[in-house]
Amino acid sequence: MKNYRFVVGIDVSKKTLDVCLMPVQNDSNCFYVKLSNSLKGYQRLLSFVKLHKLNLGEGLFILEHTGMYSLILSLFLKEK
């Protein structure tokens, strides 16, 4: 199993993403942001992760399967 530096939990809805970024070393802190469920929001998600000086490959992204509302985000994250 890979050792991750952070976990990102994403609650997906039709219009928005509620995002909680938690560093593994300090799991009592949740850095929260609400983004649009769109390409612009996905790009802001990447910026949000980089803002905390983290690389995408060091994290585990967890989101619920909501069909068409989460499919594009899943494909976007897989590509990155």
Side-chain angles (χ1 to χ4, degrees), residues 2-75:
K2 185 174 179 178
N3 291 324
Y4 295 104
R5 288 189 56 209
F6 65 95
V7 175
V8 177
I10 305 171
D11 182 47
V12 179
S13 68
K14 181 177 181 178
K15 294 184 179 183
T16 61
L17 306 171
D18 289 285
V19 179
C20 174
L21 184 150
M22 290 180 30
V24 172
Q25 297 297 328
N26 186 2
D27 63 358
S28 62
N29 284 338
C30 171
F31 300 99
Y32 172 81
V33 66
K34 187 172 203 140
L35 304 168
S36 65
N37 190 354
S38 65
L39 183 57
K40 186 175 181 179
Y42 306 159
Q43 292 167 338
R44 286 187 173 175
L45 173 60
L46 299 182
S47 297
F48 180 67
V49 171
K50 292 177 184 176
L51 175 72
H52 293 280
K53 297 182 173 57
L54 299 167
N55 295 320
L56 294 178
E58 300 173 321
L60 178 64
F61 290 78
I62 302 169
L63 58 139
E64 61 194 322
H65 173 64
T66 56
M68 64 182 193
Y69 300 138
S70 61
L71 177 62
I72 297 171
L73 173 59
S74 298
L75 295 172

